[in-house]
Amino acid sequence: MDSAIVTKIFLFALLISSTRALDPCACQADGSDLSIVPIYSKCSPFNPPKQDSLLNTVLNMASKDPQRLKYLSSLAAQMTTSVPIAPGKQVLNIGNYVVRVKLGSLKLGPAGQPKNIRTTPLLRNPHRPSLYYVNLTGVSVGQIRLPIASELLTFDPNTGAGTIIDSGTVITRFIEPIYTAIRDEFRKQVQGPFSSIGAFDTCFAATNEAVAPAITLHLTGLNLVLPMENSLIHSSAGSLACLAMAAAPNNVNSVLNVIANLQQQNLRILFDAPNSRLGIARELCN
């Protein structure tokens, strides 16, 4: 084959691979793809949203959280083993993510999981097997382990009390006494003044972010130290930062803590239901 033709083919292939490398929405080189895409992101197959601040976008997404929490709480308390075969979009008109699937000749290895993944037991609620319960044993703000009464954290399948991990809820919600303890200690370590925006009641000047403490969720077998982007949400101008958690809504008579999708970003989450375990590892995503 003529060397000039070979060179052109090589450059064309290089251009395609470079385009894929630069495009976070591109499929794998072999055509395989399994992507979970936020509906408000630029990779979403829906019409792109109007330009807006990330803070306003998250607040818009989180506006349906109280409705979802009420629904989850009702599930947790019901004494039945029937499971509705319907996604959140159908039941509650909530849809935060879409899944794009394309199968090629490859993404899968026998394990397909990062080596540094750590696991915690999945707790089974026989009355609500569709909920993924984990054993939250405590919460730390910076180096301070909060004095949270054990009965506020204990898993109880009869009442539905405990902690679940849920991708359909936007911001992590704790029952009032737990959230108050987290918020008060966080405020103590960050200089105010503080203001409220929507569901976020601890917003402060982003110039104080350097002293913002990391929040650690202590689970059986692992300590999940939330990266700062999982703990704080920023205004579009970057002048304001808010603690990206909240208390369970007042109209929800809930005993349920929910670890939501904003706190799961850039983490590999493994749901190993047959072996009753949940795996978590740090992983940068699109």
Side-chain angles (χ1 to χ4, degrees), residues 125-141:
N125 183 342
H127 307 301
R128 274 301 159 196
S130 61
L131 299 182
Y132 294 107
Y133 280 87
V134 291
N135 190 30
L136 181 67
T137 60
V139 180
S140 290
V141 178

Side-chain angles (χ1 to χ4, degrees), residues 20 23-28 31-39 41-46 97-104 107 286:
R20 287 193 179 113
D23 182 5
C25 305
C27 299
Q28 298 295 323
S32 299
D33 189 27
L34 176 58
S35 302
I36 300 177
V37 182
I39 61 170
S41 75
K42 65 180 180 180
C43 300
S44 173
F46 298 108
Y97 291 90
V98 293
V99 178
R100 181 181 64 197
V101 179
K102 188 173 183 180
L103 301 178
K107 309 244 46 105
N286 288 347

